[in-house]
Amino acid sequence: MHILILGGTTEARRLAEHLADEAPPGLRVTNSLAGRVAAPRLPPGEVRVGGFGGAEGLAAWLRTHAVDALIDATHPFAGTMSFHAARAAAVAHVPLLALRRPGWVPVPGDDWREADSLEQAAALLPALGERVFLTTGRMGLGAFAALDRQWFLVRSVDAPGAPHPPRMEVLLDRGPFTLDGERELLRRHRVDVLVTKDSGGAATAPKLTAAREAGVPVVVVRRPPVPEGVPVVAGPAAAARWITDRLGPA
């Protein structure tokens, strides 16, 4: 029995750990990482790094390696990969499950502005502030490249490349982040607006609390939808149960 996990997230790694500890004998788990992070935290089990060559390439890989189930545990904003997974699973006749951490929900005191894209988020900034804490990762900074009045503090795991905002300081760091640390970061850099993707999860959520306490508005980029018809679970334990229920013991 062979499971392919499209990973790179905390949830994917925890699922792989759960399967390594609790799965029936004979279960083979392959973890696929996109290779965009220079030094990823590797999960247990077999690991492959790199793309598949689109939906057709993934479908061929599923067939060639006799995959019995596909778990899409990619980042909530890896929309292209999720649609490739849905098409490949349909073509190869392999069951597919999406593992997605729940999105964030505003609470009283939050000042959130929602956007459907990084470009929409950039268009909101001139009316909100001039010192921007940008936590959307190193990809897509070109959406903010035309904003020459704003100063950006860009936090990412790896250094970003061009294009990017002309006035920018880069902070290389990886979560989880603490509330005290986020409070100090906002204070030290005099941040007056935060931009984030709705990635969900606890590792990077303290910035939202710090922004609420400081009265800093937050621009939240909505996550893309999971492909229609793909079942979704919110945690690794539920994904492991789906594997057991769907495939039975080895």
Side-chain angles (χ1 to χ4, degrees), residues 46-178:
E46 300 176 36
V47 177
R48 69 172 303 280
V49 179
F52 291 92
E56 291 74 15
L58 176 55
W61 201 96
L62 295 175
R63 293 194 191 99
T64 300
H65 295 270
V67 171
D68 296 291
L70 176 62
I71 309 296
D72 173 15
T74 55
H75 191 276
F77 281 84
T80 299
M81 188 65 226
S82 292
F83 278 90
H84 285 174
R87 176 170 174 78
V91 169
H93 303 289
V94 170
L96 169 65
L97 177 74
L99 171 54
R100 292 288 184 275
R101 70 188 76 149
W104 290 317
V105 178
V107 301
D110 282 327
D111 181 9
W112 285 15
R113 322 294 170 89
E114 294 189 324
D116 288 325
S117 65
L118 292 175
E119 289 74 17
Q120 284 190 12
L124 294 173
L125 291 181
L128 295 176
E130 295 186 355
R131 298 186 65 82
V132 183
F133 183 23
L134 187 58
T135 65
T136 57
R138 66 187 178 92
M139 309 297 290
L141 293 185
F144 303 89
L147 298 178
D148 55 9
R149 289 184 54 195
Q150 276 70 30
W151 173 87
F152 290 85
L153 176 65
V154 175
R155 182 165 68 191
S156 64
V157 175
D158 295 317
H164 56 67
R167 301 174 61 209
M168 179 182 75
E169 178 178 335
V170 176
L171 175 61
L172 297 182
D173 205 353
R174 186 201 301 262
F177 302 105
T178 67

Side-chain angles (χ1 to χ4, degrees), residues 169-222:
E169 178 178 335
V170 176
L171 175 61
L172 297 182
D173 205 353
R174 186 201 301 262
F177 302 105
T178 67
L179 179 54
D180 285 344
E182 300 294 63
R183 287 168 174 157
E184 171 60 19
L185 189 148
L186 295 184
R187 184 199 62 78
R188 183 171 71 252
H189 293 281
R190 296 180 287 115
V191 169
D192 54 19
V193 58
L194 166 67
V195 181
T196 183
K197 293 177 178 178
D198 180 18
S199 300
T204 60
K207 64 190 173 187
L208 302 174
T209 303
R212 180 170 63 250
E213 293 177 348
V216 169
V218 181
V219 178
V220 180
V221 181
R222 298 185 185 96

Side-chain angles (χ1 to χ4, degrees), residues 10-35:
T10 299
E11 290 75 22
R13 190 173 67 254
R14 288 176 179 167
L15 174 59
E17 292 168 350
H18 182 94
L19 293 176
D21 293 337
E22 304 292 339
L27 181 67
R28 177 187 174 193
V29 178
T30 300
N31 301 273
S32 176
L33 307 179

